[in-house]
Amino acid sequence: MRKILLQESEIPTKWYNALPDIPNGLEPPIDPATGQPATPEKLCAIFAPPLLEQEMSAESWIEIPEEVLDKLTMWRPTPLVRAKRLEDAVGAVARIYYKNESVAPAGSHKCNSSVAQAYANKVSGITKLTTETGAGQWGSALAFACALFNMECLIYMVRCSYEQKPFRRSMIHTWGAEVVPSPSDTTECGRRVLARDAQCPGSLGIAISEAVEVAASRKDTNYTLGSVLNHVLLHQTVIGLEARRQLEIGGEEQPSVVVGCCGGGSNFAGIALPFLRDRLDGRRIRFVAVEPAACPTMTRGHYAYDYGDSSSYTPLLKMFTLGSQFMPPGIHAGGLRYHGMAPIVSALIRESIVEPVNYTQLPCFEAASLFARSEGIIPAPESSHAIRAAIDEARKEENRDKVVLFNLSGHGHFDMGAYDKYLSREMEDFELPDSVLEEAAKTLPAFGFDKLGVA
Amino acid sequence: MRKILLQESEIPTKWYNALPDIPNGLEPPIDPATGQPATPEKLCAIFAPPLLEQEMSAESWIEIPEEVLDKLTMWRPTPLVRAKRLEDAVGAVARIYYKNESVAPAGSHKCNSSVAQAYANKVSGITKLTTETGAGQWGSALAFACALFNMECLIYMVRCSYEQKPFRRSMIHTWGAEVVPSPSDTTECGRRVLARDAQCPGSLGIAISEAVEVAASRKDTNYTLGSVLNHVLLHQTVIGLEARRQLEIGGEEQPSVVVGCCGGGSNFAGIALPFLRDRLDGRRIRFVAVEPAACPTMTRGHYAYDYGDSSSYTPLLKMFTLGSQFMPPGIHAGGLRYHGMAPIVSALIRESIVEPVNYTQLPCFEAASLFARSEGIIPAPESSHAIRAAIDEARKEENRDKVVLFNLSGHGHFDMGAYDKYLSREMEDFELPDSVLEEAAKTLPAFGFDKLGVA
């Protein structure tokens, strides 16, 4: 058996909410205007009430609405695959399994949350959604979801991606959404950035600011985020819940190592969190969160309150961060170029439950190529980070005869330019000097909330 | 239930060979040098013996080799999907189901045959394969298969596709194959074409000539074809065999109409042939083969002996053809721009069992857009022809409460430029004048084999 498949009737009907299980809990988001925990009323200006409820829920299990389940059946359950050919190619001593999220319509796990967010907004009377997108995975997933629910959709796409990836744009257009390169002259914050630097290549932080600004100014429009927030991670737990069940019915033991790549943290959390209780119950299970060395939020960042965007529109989140003004180098894993990390993932690092690691892009593309030639699927540059770490774990003697599970978060069909660079040996690795990180860290807000005892 | 899924253990273990069931049989390929049926010995120069056996077999069921089955499990069984949202969007009175072949590694049904052909060559001691590719679907599928079997692979890609679709090239490179724009200076026939027209955009016929020339001149190298031939159609019958079983276990009735798009005929045959015996047994079941109006092989061509390539290297096949020198206009469905049609499909048209229809590209892209927005998947331009015809069938009163089944042969992730053109209203339809077809038909070989009584 290469794949372990579930029937449609076996898609999880509840999301697993890790919030109540996190040792020592999570610090709340802070309203920078008051220095106090952000109130739901204020957040309601840009987020749908059902999502805010999910964001703060103390329930361990949250029912997936019927309408969302119906949309998930379009591509779920996704296959769990034994990577036997990859194991042979790399001399693994462990058994490698991967969850194939690339089969979703927009090509990645992002669809799991986009349909849930679009639905929550639809039932809240919202007719239009805004968002940002870097690599384009989240933007296309939201465009897809809005097409299903007949909603309007406006996407701010980081300008350098917008120019490098015209076909992600085309995909978004095909699903009927509008996409604008960011920074743009359609928002105040965009115009401010352009006034300073007309050639600015953009960043996720700037694009978030633009999307938030539009949503905040219109009653019929809300903002959505593709990662970081608790409710987004919640929506992604279908991945790990399915994987758990698939290993069970395949007669396989539960994983000793769970691996995912980390941009904002949602795909990693999606596969890892459903195994959290095993770990808390005393099972030896490691969670490996993989980030690019060029954007080392978890491995070289600070655990502090920081803004989610570059214009300080968002509440402050307690998270690992490089500083909201950090401008990551132009690596090909565009989805991993974010200055912050999901508060839930950050808290689990704080508790030494999640182990962050980083890799430069060359070894990741080497792993991606190996994967393409052995398993057949061309992975997204983001996912290649998980593959790299999974290979390295599967070669460790301590993991002999154990299961290494990783999340193949998406395919690379819209990233072939990166493969061209790698195959023609034009791709380079570089060290990110301490000085760059120190400079960016200076922009961390100096409110001293950590000492205010809000936690 | 949206999808009807099978377990890996339910992949067909035998291919269905339609050859013995075709009323009044098939005329044999003719060796132009002798005017007599081509001998297996001669064909062995470029084809592996197991494939020639399949090509001419009188057995109704042919065992799928274990090694091929193992590779098929990488993406098979593919889902059978009820297109409920599409039905609602178009006001269908029939139930529409589609077989989703886009989940294959190279993104289309072509992988079903590429792994079978690579394996047959591998066990025959061949170390390198050559082929041609138009849109790039077959080229990438063969590159993928050669990566799995550690074989070398050389692909002649029609020059205009090579230039328009750089990312198909990248995909081929990622799987380790070599790709050369055709016409090229690496072959005698390529050099001849270039001497006449240095800017020649190429055609499938020219690319076939180049690939055949290389294979014929080297002992360790064979040629492979991605459609047309009996053994290729045979390999594709897993599609219809699975669909048949899926409808059964889903408690659904068998289809009244089966629809597929037709370039060389293999994906259409793959879904249709496994229902042939039902039709011969008297069940009312229609087979609709859809081609582009710009390359109307079946609807406006001739049923005659013709060459498969432009340089007259191949044996003559009795088939519907526009003439091997026909140069189709540059429509976006590159995979449907072939002058001929599979002899099996052609014979079934002759017997009035298969109904050919043609569509211009605008209504096909309209159907593709509707499909993307309702079912989530962005279809290949080729597949959009099947969607168009399936929608039209599903709206017919005579099909009320019946099942219309079509083959979604591939996704359009590498064809987004075509969607851009459609969405920006830059795409145009045009009439193909009779005079163009008459001119092309003059190049049909005047050997008069039809009168030689070889059938």
Side-chain angles (χ1 to χ4, degrees), chain A residues 100 102-103 375-378 411 413, chain B residues 72 74-79 100-112 114 137 140-141 144 168 171 175 408-411 413-414:
Chain A
N100 183 4
S102 78
V103 298
E375 296 294 318
I377 303 169
I378 298 179
H411 62 60
H413 298 172
Chain B
L72 292 179
M74 294 176 77
W75 69 95
R76 304 207 73 83
T78 63
N100 183 2
E101 291 295 305
S102 78
V103 299
S108 84
H109 68 289
K110 295 286 188 189
C111 295
N112 297 327
S114 70
Q137 298 270 23
S140 49
F144 155 74
R168 270 283 167 200
M171 190 178 214
W175 280 316
L408 183 73
S409 56
H411 63 61
H413 297 172
F414 295 87

mmCIF file of all heavy atoms in Angstrom, chain A residues 100 102-103 375-378 411 413, chain B residues 72 74-79 100-112 114 137 140-141 144 168 171 175 408-411 413-414:
data_model
loop_
_atom_site.group_PDB
_atom_site.id
_atom_site.type_symbol
_atom_site.label_atom_id
_atom_site.label_comp_id
_atom_site.label_asym_id
_atom_site.label_seq_id
_atom_site.Cartn_x
_atom_site.Cartn_y
_atom_site.Cartn_z
ATOM 1 N N ASN A 100 -0.577 14.682 1.576
ATOM 2 C CA ASN A 100 -0.505 15.404 0.309
ATOM 3 C C ASN A 100 -1.604 16.467 0.190
ATOM 4 O O ASN A 100 -2.684 16.218 -0.344
ATOM 5 C CB ASN A 100 -0.582 14.417 -0.861
ATOM 6 C CG ASN A 100 -0.441 15.121 -2.195
ATOM 7 O OD1 ASN A 100 -0.212 16.333 -2.255
ATOM 8 N ND2 ASN A 100 -0.576 14.375 -3.274
ATOM 9 N N SER A 102 -1.317 19.060 -1.618
ATOM 10 C CA SER A 102 -1.206 19.730 -2.925
ATOM 11 C C SER A 102 -2.392 19.416 -3.830
ATOM 12 O O SER A 102 -2.560 20.049 -4.869
ATOM 13 C CB SER A 102 0.097 19.315 -3.618
ATOM 14 O OG SER A 102 -0.007 18.031 -4.187
ATOM 15 N N VAL A 103 -3.231 18.460 -3.445
ATOM 16 C CA VAL A 103 -4.369 18.096 -4.299
ATOM 17 C C VAL A 103 -5.531 19.092 -4.209
ATOM 18 O O VAL A 103 -6.511 18.983 -4.950
ATOM 19 C CB VAL A 103 -4.908 16.679 -3.970
ATOM 20 C CG1 VAL A 103 -3.843 15.638 -4.221
ATOM 21 C CG2 VAL A 103 -5.416 16.600 -2.537
ATOM 22 N N GLU A 375 9.090 10.567 -5.867
ATOM 23 C CA GLU A 375 7.663 10.487 -5.544
ATOM 24 C C GLU A 375 6.774 11.078 -6.650
ATOM 25 O O GLU A 375 5.556 10.968 -6.597
ATOM 26 C CB GLU A 375 7.382 11.187 -4.213
ATOM 27 C CG GLU A 375 8.075 10.525 -3.013
ATOM 28 C CD GLU A 375 7.539 9.117 -2.739
ATOM 29 O OE1 GLU A 375 6.313 8.944 -2.808
ATOM 30 O OE2 GLU A 375 8.350 8.211 -2.483
ATOM 31 N N GLY A 376 7.397 11.774 -7.612
ATOM 32 C CA GLY A 376 6.640 12.241 -8.770
ATOM 33 C C GLY A 376 6.078 13.648 -8.644
ATOM 34 O O GLY A 376 5.867 14.309 -9.646
ATOM 35 N N ILE A 377 5.831 14.115 -7.441
ATOM 36 C CA ILE A 377 5.212 15.431 -7.259
ATOM 37 C C ILE A 377 6.280 16.513 -7.148
ATOM 38 O O ILE A 377 7.253 16.351 -6.407
ATOM 39 C CB ILE A 377 4.345 15.440 -5.979
ATOM 40 C CG1 ILE A 377 3.287 14.340 -6.052
ATOM 41 C CG2 ILE A 377 3.704 16.812 -5.772
ATOM 42 C CD1 ILE A 377 2.576 14.098 -4.736
ATOM 43 N N ILE A 378 6.103 17.609 -7.880
ATOM 44 C CA ILE A 378 7.018 18.742 -7.786
ATOM 45 C C ILE A 378 6.521 19.646 -6.657
ATOM 46 O O ILE A 378 5.462 20.246 -6.761
ATOM 47 C CB ILE A 378 7.079 19.503 -9.119
ATOM 48 C CG1 ILE A 378 7.633 18.557 -10.204
ATOM 49 C CG2 ILE A 378 7.937 20.753 -8.999
ATOM 50 C CD1 ILE A 378 7.722 19.164 -11.585
ATOM 51 N N HIS A 411 1.962 22.103 -4.118
ATOM 52 C CA HIS A 411 2.794 21.783 -5.286
ATOM 53 C C HIS A 411 3.473 23.041 -5.812
ATOM 54 O O HIS A 411 3.117 24.157 -5.436
ATOM 55 C CB HIS A 411 1.986 21.087 -6.388
ATOM 56 C CG HIS A 411 0.868 21.904 -6.970
ATOM 57 N ND1 HIS A 411 1.074 23.107 -7.600
ATOM 58 C CD2 HIS A 411 -0.468 21.690 -7.024
ATOM 59 C CE1 HIS A 411 -0.058 23.591 -8.028
ATOM 60 N NE2 HIS A 411 -1.032 22.758 -7.671
ATOM 61 N N HIS A 413 3.736 24.007 -9.109
ATOM 62 C CA HIS A 413 3.431 24.274 -10.528
ATOM 63 C C HIS A 413 3.546 25.749 -10.897
ATOM 64 O O HIS A 413 3.707 26.069 -12.066
ATOM 65 C CB HIS A 413 2.029 23.772 -10.890
ATOM 66 C CG HIS A 413 1.860 22.295 -10.720
ATOM 67 N ND1 HIS A 413 0.659 21.645 -10.831
ATOM 68 C CD2 HIS A 413 2.770 21.319 -10.459
ATOM 69 C CE1 HIS A 413 0.839 20.344 -10.639
ATOM 70 N NE2 HIS A 413 2.101 20.132 -10.405
ATOM 71 N N LEU B 72 1.425 3.017 -11.008
ATOM 72 C CA LEU B 72 0.081 3.599 -11.109
ATOM 73 C C LEU B 72 -0.475 3.978 -9.734
ATOM 74 O O LEU B 72 -1.234 4.938 -9.607
ATOM 75 C CB LEU B 72 -0.881 2.626 -11.812
ATOM 76 C CG LEU B 72 -0.641 2.354 -13.302
ATOM 77 C CD1 LEU B 72 -1.668 1.350 -13.832
ATOM 78 C CD2 LEU B 72 -0.718 3.641 -14.128
ATOM 79 N N MET B 74 0.863 5.509 -7.561
ATOM 80 C CA MET B 74 1.321 6.837 -7.130
ATOM 81 C C MET B 74 0.203 7.869 -7.245
ATOM 82 O O MET B 74 0.214 8.872 -6.554
ATOM 83 C CB MET B 74 2.547 7.272 -7.935
ATOM 84 C CG MET B 74 3.766 6.395 -7.662
ATOM 85 S SD MET B 74 5.203 6.806 -8.680
ATOM 86 C CE MET B 74 5.804 8.282 -7.859
ATOM 87 N N TRP B 75 -0.735 7.665 -8.156
ATOM 88 C CA TRP B 75 -1.856 8.614 -8.274
ATOM 89 C C TRP B 75 -3.210 7.942 -8.505
ATOM 90 O O TRP B 75 -4.236 8.593 -8.422
ATOM 91 C CB TRP B 75 -1.596 9.641 -9.372
ATOM 92 C CG TRP B 75 -1.620 9.075 -10.758
ATOM 93 C CD1 TRP B 75 -2.682 9.055 -11.625
ATOM 94 C CD2 TRP B 75 -0.555 8.404 -11.448
ATOM 95 N NE1 TRP B 75 -2.335 8.419 -12.804
ATOM 96 C CE2 TRP B 75 -1.028 8.017 -12.723
ATOM 97 C CE3 TRP B 75 0.774 8.088 -11.101
ATOM 98 C CZ2 TRP B 75 -0.239 7.332 -13.645
ATOM 99 C CZ3 TRP B 75 1.559 7.408 -12.027
ATOM 100 C CH2 TRP B 75 1.048 7.042 -13.276
ATOM 101 N N ARG B 76 -3.227 6.657 -8.806
ATOM 102 C CA ARG B 76 -4.481 5.951 -9.037
ATOM 103 C C ARG B 76 -4.885 5.195 -7.779
ATOM 104 O O ARG B 76 -4.033 4.882 -6.972
ATOM 105 C CB ARG B 76 -4.347 4.946 -10.200
ATOM 106 C CG ARG B 76 -3.881 5.540 -11.505
ATOM 107 C CD ARG B 76 -4.377 4.744 -12.695
ATOM 108 N NE ARG B 76 -5.796 4.955 -12.889
ATOM 109 C CZ ARG B 76 -6.312 6.014 -13.557
ATOM 110 N NH1 ARG B 76 -5.534 6.887 -14.123
ATOM 111 N NH2 ARG B 76 -7.601 6.151 -13.653
ATOM 112 N N PRO B 77 -6.178 4.841 -7.641
ATOM 113 C CA PRO B 77 -7.292 5.209 -8.507
ATOM 114 C C PRO B 77 -7.558 6.707 -8.420
ATOM 115 O O PRO B 77 -7.357 7.314 -7.371
ATOM 116 C CB PRO B 77 -8.483 4.428 -7.932
ATOM 117 C CG PRO B 77 -7.936 3.543 -6.858
ATOM 118 C CD PRO B 77 -6.596 4.039 -6.491
ATOM 119 N N THR B 78 -8.037 7.286 -9.515
ATOM 120 C CA THR B 78 -8.376 8.707 -9.499
ATOM 121 C C THR B 78 -9.845 8.857 -9.087
ATOM 122 O O THR B 78 -10.640 7.931 -9.260
ATOM 123 C CB THR B 78 -8.160 9.332 -10.886
ATOM 124 O OG1 THR B 78 -9.038 8.716 -11.823
ATOM 125 C CG2 THR B 78 -6.718 9.163 -11.350
ATOM 126 N N PRO B 79 -10.194 10.025 -8.535
ATOM 127 C CA PRO B 79 -11.576 10.202 -8.075
ATOM 128 C C PRO B 79 -12.572 10.283 -9.234
ATOM 129 O O PRO B 79 -12.262 10.807 -10.296
ATOM 130 C CB PRO B 79 -11.541 11.557 -7.348
ATOM 131 C CG PRO B 79 -10.085 11.875 -7.131
ATOM 132 C CD PRO B 79 -9.339 11.188 -8.222
ATOM 133 N N ASN B 100 -11.411 12.463 -12.684
ATOM 134 C CA ASN B 100 -10.391 13.497 -12.519
ATOM 135 C C ASN B 100 -8.984 12.952 -12.734
ATOM 136 O O ASN B 100 -8.301 12.548 -11.796
ATOM 137 C CB ASN B 100 -10.517 14.132 -11.140
ATOM 138 C CG ASN B 100 -9.532 15.265 -10.945
ATOM 139 O OD1 ASN B 100 -8.777 15.610 -11.862
ATOM 140 N ND2 ASN B 100 -9.519 15.839 -9.771
ATOM 141 N N GLU B 101 -8.536 12.983 -13.986
ATOM 142 C CA GLU B 101 -7.186 12.497 -14.315
ATOM 143 C C GLU B 101 -6.118 13.562 -14.073
ATOM 144 O O GLU B 101 -4.920 13.301 -14.244
ATOM 145 C CB GLU B 101 -7.137 12.017 -15.767
ATOM 146 C CG GLU B 101 -7.940 10.754 -16.030
ATOM 147 C CD GLU B 101 -7.379 9.537 -15.295
ATOM 148 O OE1 GLU B 101 -6.193 9.235 -15.464
ATOM 149 O OE2 GLU B 101 -8.150 8.900 -14.541
ATOM 150 N N SER B 102 -6.537 14.757 -13.667
ATOM 151 C CA SER B 102 -5.564 15.837 -13.455
ATOM 152 C C SER B 102 -4.707 15.605 -12.214
ATOM 153 O O SER B 102 -3.727 16.304 -12.009
ATOM 154 C CB SER B 102 -6.282 17.186 -13.346
ATOM 155 O OG SER B 102 -6.866 17.353 -12.067
ATOM 156 N N VAL B 103 -5.068 14.627 -11.380
ATOM 157 C CA VAL B 103 -4.294 14.396 -10.151
ATOM 158 C C VAL B 103 -2.982 13.649 -10.413
ATOM 159 O O VAL B 103 -2.174 13.477 -9.494
ATOM 160 C CB VAL B 103 -5.126 13.612 -9.104
ATOM 161 C CG1 VAL B 103 -6.362 14.391 -8.706
ATOM 162 C CG2 VAL B 103 -5.506 12.229 -9.622
ATOM 163 N N ALA B 104 -2.742 13.212 -11.643
ATOM 164 C CA ALA B 104 -1.491 12.510 -11.952
ATOM 165 C C ALA B 104 -0.303 13.464 -11.822
ATOM 166 O O ALA B 104 -0.462 14.676 -11.977
ATOM 167 C CB ALA B 104 -1.560 11.934 -13.363
ATOM 168 N N PRO B 105 0.887 12.920 -11.529
ATOM 169 C CA PRO B 105 2.055 13.775 -11.303
ATOM 170 C C PRO B 105 2.309 14.814 -12.390
ATOM 171 O O PRO B 105 2.586 15.966 -12.092
ATOM 172 C CB PRO B 105 3.213 12.770 -11.221
ATOM 173 C CG PRO B 105 2.585 11.529 -10.694
ATOM 174 C CD PRO B 105 1.214 11.491 -11.310
ATOM 175 N N ALA B 106 2.205 14.420 -13.666
ATOM 176 C CA ALA B 106 2.452 15.394 -14.723
ATOM 177 C C ALA B 106 1.181 16.147 -15.094
ATOM 178 O O ALA B 106 1.175 16.945 -16.019
ATOM 179 C CB ALA B 106 3.060 14.712 -15.947
ATOM 180 N N GLY B 107 0.096 15.870 -14.381
ATOM 181 C CA GLY B 107 -1.109 16.676 -14.534
ATOM 182 C C GLY B 107 -2.112 16.205 -15.555
ATOM 183 O O GLY B 107 -3.060 16.922 -15.854
ATOM 184 N N SER B 108 -1.929 15.014 -16.106
ATOM 185 C CA SER B 108 -2.908 14.495 -17.056
ATOM 186 C C SER B 108 -2.867 12.972 -17.125
ATOM 187 O O SER B 108 -1.971 12.333 -16.576
ATOM 188 C CB SER B 108 -2.669 15.071 -18.457
ATOM 189 O OG SER B 108 -1.678 14.305 -19.128
ATOM 190 N N HIS B 109 -3.839 12.437 -17.883
ATOM 191 C CA HIS B 109 -3.949 10.999 -18.119
ATOM 192 C C HIS B 109 -2.707 10.397 -18.765
ATOM 193 O O HIS B 109 -2.520 9.187 -18.742
ATOM 194 C CB HIS B 109 -5.152 10.751 -19.034
ATOM 195 C CG HIS B 109 -4.930 11.269 -20.416
ATOM 196 N ND1 HIS B 109 -4.891 12.617 -20.721
ATOM 197 C CD2 HIS B 109 -4.677 10.611 -21.576
ATOM 198 C CE1 HIS B 109 -4.645 12.769 -22.006
ATOM 199 N NE2 HIS B 109 -4.517 11.582 -22.551
ATOM 200 N N LYS B 110 -1.865 11.236 -19.373
ATOM 201 C CA LYS B 110 -0.726 10.711 -20.146
ATOM 202 C C LYS B 110 0.162 9.783 -19.314
ATOM 203 O O LYS B 110 0.807 8.883 -19.858
ATOM 204 C CB LYS B 110 0.114 11.863 -20.697
ATOM 205 C CG LYS B 110 -0.617 12.722 -21.725
ATOM 206 C CD LYS B 110 -0.757 12.048 -23.066
ATOM 207 C CE LYS B 110 -1.320 12.995 -24.128
ATOM 208 N NZ LYS B 110 -1.656 12.284 -25.373
ATOM 209 N N CYS B 111 0.235 10.012 -18.008
ATOM 210 C CA CYS B 111 1.085 9.172 -17.148
ATOM 211 C C CYS B 111 0.659 7.705 -17.178
ATOM 212 O O CYS B 111 1.489 6.816 -16.967
ATOM 213 C CB CYS B 111 1.059 9.675 -15.704
ATOM 214 S SG CYS B 111 1.773 11.325 -15.500
ATOM 215 N N ASN B 112 -0.630 7.437 -17.417
ATOM 216 C CA ASN B 112 -1.095 6.044 -17.463
ATOM 217 C C ASN B 112 -0.338 5.243 -18.506
ATOM 218 O O ASN B 112 -0.049 4.068 -18.316
ATOM 219 C CB ASN B 112 -2.593 5.977 -17.808
ATOM 220 C CG ASN B 112 -3.452 6.646 -16.764
ATOM 221 O OD1 ASN B 112 -3.130 6.635 -15.574
ATOM 222 N ND2 ASN B 112 -4.550 7.261 -17.200
ATOM 223 N N SER B 114 2.644 6.473 -20.046
ATOM 224 C CA SER B 114 4.104 6.692 -20.012
ATOM 225 C C SER B 114 4.797 5.670 -19.117
ATOM 226 O O SER B 114 5.870 5.182 -19.453
ATOM 227 C CB SER B 114 4.448 8.127 -19.604
ATOM 228 O OG SER B 114 4.155 8.381 -18.254
ATOM 229 N N GLN B 137 2.113 17.922 -22.360
ATOM 230 C CA GLN B 137 1.543 16.940 -21.433
ATOM 231 C C GLN B 137 2.237 15.581 -21.591
ATOM 232 O O GLN B 137 2.614 14.958 -20.603
ATOM 233 C CB GLN B 137 0.030 16.761 -21.697
ATOM 234 C CG GLN B 137 -0.799 18.015 -21.489
ATOM 235 C CD GLN B 137 -1.322 18.152 -20.064
ATOM 236 O OE1 GLN B 137 -0.764 17.584 -19.136
ATOM 237 N NE2 GLN B 137 -2.376 18.918 -19.903
ATOM 238 N N SER B 140 6.086 15.730 -20.577
ATOM 239 C CA SER B 140 6.341 15.730 -19.135
ATOM 240 C C SER B 140 5.972 14.380 -18.519
ATOM 241 O O SER B 140 6.651 13.910 -17.603
ATOM 242 C CB SER B 140 5.638 16.899 -18.441
ATOM 243 O OG SER B 140 4.303 16.996 -18.819
ATOM 244 N N ALA B 141 4.939 13.750 -19.041
ATOM 245 C CA ALA B 141 4.566 12.432 -18.514
ATOM 246 C C ALA B 141 5.671 11.405 -18.793
ATOM 247 O O ALA B 141 5.978 10.567 -17.941
ATOM 248 C CB ALA B 141 3.249 11.964 -19.130
ATOM 249 N N PHE B 144 8.648 12.069 -16.490
ATOM 250 C CA PHE B 144 8.326 11.528 -15.170
ATOM 251 C C PHE B 144 8.565 10.020 -15.123
ATOM 252 O O PHE B 144 9.227 9.498 -14.220
ATOM 253 C CB PHE B 144 6.861 11.884 -14.840
ATOM 254 C CG PHE B 144 6.183 10.977 -13.863
ATOM 255 C CD1 PHE B 144 6.509 11.039 -12.509
ATOM 256 C CD2 PHE B 144 5.211 10.070 -14.274
ATOM 257 C CE1 PHE B 144 5.877 10.199 -11.596
ATOM 258 C CE2 PHE B 144 4.585 9.231 -13.372
ATOM 259 C CZ PHE B 144 4.911 9.288 -12.030
ATOM 260 N N ARG B 168 6.567 24.193 -18.766
ATOM 261 C CA ARG B 168 6.473 22.767 -19.103
ATOM 262 C C ARG B 168 7.890 22.214 -19.288
ATOM 263 O O ARG B 168 8.211 21.132 -18.839
ATOM 264 C CB ARG B 168 5.682 22.561 -20.391
ATOM 265 C CG ARG B 168 4.230 22.381 -20.214
ATOM 266 C CD ARG B 168 3.852 20.975 -19.729
ATOM 267 N NE ARG B 168 2.471 20.968 -19.297
ATOM 268 C CZ ARG B 168 1.926 20.076 -18.503
ATOM 269 N NH1 ARG B 168 2.637 19.087 -18.007
ATOM 270 N NH2 ARG B 168 0.669 20.158 -18.152
ATOM 271 N N MET B 171 9.453 21.685 -15.959
ATOM 272 C CA MET B 171 8.932 20.456 -15.350
ATOM 273 C C MET B 171 9.696 19.251 -15.904
ATOM 274 O O MET B 171 10.127 18.367 -15.171
ATOM 275 C CB MET B 171 7.445 20.359 -15.689
ATOM 276 C CG MET B 171 6.689 19.287 -14.943
ATOM 277 S SD MET B 171 4.924 19.324 -15.400
ATOM 278 C CE MET B 171 4.172 18.842 -13.846
ATOM 279 N N TRP B 175 12.426 16.575 -13.897
ATOM 280 C CA TRP B 175 12.442 15.112 -13.877
ATOM 281 C C TRP B 175 13.666 14.552 -14.602
ATOM 282 O O TRP B 175 13.750 13.343 -14.847
ATOM 283 C CB TRP B 175 11.132 14.572 -14.463
ATOM 284 C CG TRP B 175 10.022 14.627 -13.462
ATOM 285 C CD1 TRP B 175 10.105 14.265 -12.138
ATOM 286 C CD2 TRP B 175 8.657 15.050 -13.664
ATOM 287 N NE1 TRP B 175 8.883 14.447 -11.521
ATOM 288 C CE2 TRP B 175 7.981 14.914 -12.422
ATOM 289 C CE3 TRP B 175 7.949 15.518 -14.767
ATOM 290 C CZ2 TRP B 175 6.637 15.251 -12.256
ATOM 291 C CZ3 TRP B 175 6.609 15.842 -14.603
ATOM 292 C CH2 TRP B 175 5.962 15.702 -13.358
ATOM 293 N N LEU B 408 -12.049 14.406 -17.363
ATOM 294 C CA LEU B 408 -11.259 15.618 -17.141
ATOM 295 C C LEU B 408 -9.810 15.182 -17.311
ATOM 296 O O LEU B 408 -9.156 14.762 -16.372
ATOM 297 C CB LEU B 408 -11.499 16.188 -15.744
ATOM 298 C CG LEU B 408 -10.737 17.492 -15.504
ATOM 299 C CD1 LEU B 408 -11.389 18.634 -16.271
ATOM 300 C CD2 LEU B 408 -10.643 17.822 -14.032
ATOM 301 N N SER B 409 -9.313 15.290 -18.548
ATOM 302 C CA SER B 409 -8.022 14.658 -18.855
ATOM 303 C C SER B 409 -6.843 15.326 -18.165
ATOM 304 O O SER B 409 -5.843 14.680 -17.887
ATOM 305 C CB SER B 409 -7.809 14.631 -20.366
ATOM 306 O OG SER B 409 -7.906 15.928 -20.910
ATOM 307 N N GLY B 410 -6.955 16.637 -17.851
ATOM 308 C CA GLY B 410 -5.803 17.270 -17.195
ATOM 309 C C GLY B 410 -6.125 18.653 -16.661
ATOM 310 O O GLY B 410 -7.163 19.239 -16.994
ATOM 311 N N HIS B 411 -5.211 19.185 -15.840
ATOM 312 C CA HIS B 411 -5.399 20.547 -15.325
ATOM 313 C C HIS B 411 -4.680 21.555 -16.215
ATOM 314 O O HIS B 411 -3.857 21.183 -17.062
ATOM 315 C CB HIS B 411 -4.941 20.676 -13.874
ATOM 316 C CG HIS B 411 -3.478 20.421 -13.645
ATOM 317 N ND1 HIS B 411 -2.482 21.170 -14.227
ATOM 318 C CD2 HIS B 411 -2.839 19.495 -12.886
ATOM 319 C CE1 HIS B 411 -1.312 20.719 -13.834
ATOM 320 N NE2 HIS B 411 -1.487 19.692 -13.040
ATOM 321 N N HIS B 413 -2.703 24.188 -15.190
ATOM 322 C CA HIS B 413 -1.727 25.008 -14.453
ATOM 323 C C HIS B 413 -0.610 25.544 -15.334
ATOM 324 O O HIS B 413 0.040 26.510 -14.974
ATOM 325 C CB HIS B 413 -1.122 24.204 -13.296
ATOM 326 C CG HIS B 413 -2.129 23.795 -12.264
ATOM 327 N ND1 HIS B 413 -1.847 22.947 -11.235
ATOM 328 C CD2 HIS B 413 -3.436 24.131 -12.122
ATOM 329 C CE1 HIS B 413 -2.932 22.764 -10.492
ATOM 330 N NE2 HIS B 413 -3.905 23.460 -11.018
ATOM 331 N N PHE B 414 -0.371 24.870 -16.459
ATOM 332 C CA PHE B 414 0.691 25.329 -17.354
ATOM 333 C C PHE B 414 0.119 25.999 -18.599
ATOM 334 O O PHE B 414 0.809 26.156 -19.598
ATOM 335 C CB PHE B 414 1.621 24.162 -17.698
ATOM 336 C CG PHE B 414 2.359 23.653 -16.487
ATOM 337 C CD1 PHE B 414 1.809 22.691 -15.663
ATOM 338 C CD2 PHE B 414 3.578 24.209 -16.133
ATOM 339 C CE1 PHE B 414 2.461 22.267 -14.519
ATOM 340 C CE2 PHE B 414 4.251 23.795 -14.993
ATOM 341 C CZ PHE B 414 3.697 22.820 -14.185
#
